[in-house]
Amino acid sequence: MDLTQIFKTDHPIVGVVHLLPLPTSPRWGGSLRAVIDRAEQEATALASGGVDGIIVENFFDAPFTKGSVDPAVVSAMSLIVQRLMNLVTLPIGVNVLRNDAQSAMAIATCVQAHFIRVNVLTGVMATDQGLIEGQAHQLLRYRRELGSDVKILADVLVKHARPLGSPNLTTAVQETIERGLADGIILSGWATGSPPNLEDLELASAAANDTPLFIGSGANWENIPQLIQAANGVIVSSSLKRRGKIEQPIDPIRVSQFVESMRRSVTAKTELAAPSTVVVS
C-alpha cells in the first residue's frame, strides 16, 4: 500500500467522522438530514484543520450487530460518504461496525472511496457482540469480484475485544498480512481513547516490515510525538472532539493543534533517520 499515492504523505493523519445514529439503530432520531449536516460539519472541520484523510463510521449505532448491518444503514452510509467526497478533496474510507467488511467494501467501491477498516479480518475475537470470526477469504474474493482496488486496513487484536487463546502479537501481525492479505494494519489500545503502548507498536512495526502500520486509538497532541516514532500513520478521533468528549463534534482548533504536533514529530523523525554527512578535508 503506497501511502504517498493515496494520502500525498508517507505519515498520514486520518480523522474520523462518527455518524449520528442511522436508520434502524436503537437511538435513530428520525432525521437523516441531521445526520448528514453533522457529518458535513465534521468533515469540513477535519479538512480545514489539515488532516490527510477521513474515515466514516456508524459509531453511534451501538449496540452493534456482529454480522451484516441492515440495508438501510448501507444506503444511508453510501449517500453520506458520496456527499462528503463531493465536499472535501481528501481520500475517504469506510468502516461499517462492528465488522461488516463486505458492506464497507461495497459502499467504498460504489462511491469510489479509497479504503476500508476491518476490525476482525483474521482469527476469532470475543467481543460484546459475541464471537466474531475473521472472513478474509470472503472479503478478498468479493473485492476481486467487484473489480475493486479499495485498500483494506485491518486491526490486529482489535480494541473492545479479546482473542480466543493467547496469540503472539508478532504472529498476529504477520498472519493478518501474509494470510489475510491486509494492505495496512492498525494497532489500538484496549478501548476507544486508549493508546497502544510504544513497545507493542515497535513489535508490530518490525513484524509488518514494509506494510504500513497505523495507530488506531488514543492518539493526542501530547503523545503523538512518541507514538509516531514506531508507526507510519494515525487514525484519530476522540482527542479532536470538543473538550475531548467522544459525543461532541469535531473541534477545528484541536485538529490544528494535533496536526501541528504530528508534523513537527514527523520532521524530527525524518531528520533523525537521515544519514549524517561527514566532510573530510
Side-chain angles (χ1 to χ4, degrees):
M1 180 177 179
D2 188 336
L3 296 179
T4 302
Q5 183 179 18
I6 296 174
F7 298 104
K8 312 306 179 188
T9 175
D10 55 0
H11 286 84
I13 301 168
V14 180
V16 185
V17 171
H18 285 153
L19 298 178
L20 294 177
L22 297 174
T24 72
S25 73
R27 293 177 289 183
W28 161 239
S31 172
L32 190 58
R33 179 72 261 172
V35 179
I36 293 171
D37 287 346
R38 167 79 169 250
E40 290 179 339
Q41 291 166 5
E42 296 207 336
T44 301
L46 289 167
S48 62
V51 303
D52 305 298
I54 292 173
I55 187 165
V56 181
E57 297 183 347
N58 57 324
F59 182 83
F60 290 111
D61 279 357
F64 306 112
T65 174
K66 70 174 184 178
S68 300
V69 298
D70 190 90
V73 174
V74 178
S75 299
M77 291 190 72
S78 299
L79 173 64
I80 294 166
V81 173
Q82 181 68 74
R83 290 181 70 99
L84 298 187
M85 292 186 67
N86 290 333
L87 181 67
V88 301
T89 58
L90 298 173
I92 290 183
V94 181
N95 185 16
V96 181
L97 298 167
R98 171 72 154 141
N99 202 55
D100 193 349
Q102 284 190 259
S103 288
M105 179 62 70
I107 294 167
T109 300
C110 288
V111 303
Q112 297 185 315
H114 297 78
F115 60 97
I116 64 171
R117 180 175 184 172
V118 182
N119 291 168
V120 184
L121 182 66
T122 61
V124 183
M125 301 293 288
T127 75
D128 54 306
Q129 294 82 33
L131 295 180
I132 297 181
E133 299 182 32
Q135 297 183 333
H137 63 293
Q138 291 184 5
L139 180 61
L140 271 294
R141 284 163 175 76
Y142 188 51
R143 181 170 68 173
R144 185 184 62 187
E145 289 173 5
L146 291 173
S148 174
D149 62 355
V150 169
K151 304 304 181 186
I152 299 169
L153 302 183
D155 284 272
V156 174
L157 305 181
V158 68
K159 59 189 175 183
H160 297 290
R162 295 292 182 270
L164 294 190
S166 302
N168 176 277
L169 176 59
T170 295
T171 300
V173 170
Q174 291 172 339
E175 290 193 344
T176 302
I177 296 169
E178 296 170 8
R179 296 170 67 83
L181 302 186
D183 298 299
I185 61 170
I186 302 168
L187 190 67
S188 301
W190 65 274
T192 299
S194 172
N197 64 56
L198 185 60
E199 181 181 357
D200 284 346
L201 280 171
E202 290 172 342
L203 284 173
S205 179
N209 198 6
D210 293 330
T211 300
L213 167 64
F214 286 79
I215 301 158
S217 67
N220 57 51
W221 72 272
E222 293 175 309
N223 65 21
I224 194 60
Q226 180 186 38
L227 296 178
I228 199 59
Q229 301 306 312
N232 303 102
V234 57
I235 298 172
V236 58
S237 178
S238 301
S239 65
L240 307 185
K241 302 292 189 79
R242 292 177 188 169
R243 302 188 301 279
K245 303 294 185 180
I246 195 69
E247 70 277 3
Q248 294 291 318
I250 296 291
D251 183 341
I253 295 175
R254 282 177 169 261
V255 179
S256 298
Q257 186 180 42
F258 183 91
V259 169
E260 182 180 357
S261 179
M262 170 80 163
R263 296 288 179 250
R264 286 199 307 263
S265 304
V266 169
T267 299
K269 176 182 178 179
T270 303
E271 291 175 348
L272 186 63
S276 57
T277 302
V278 178
V279 178
V280 180
S281 59

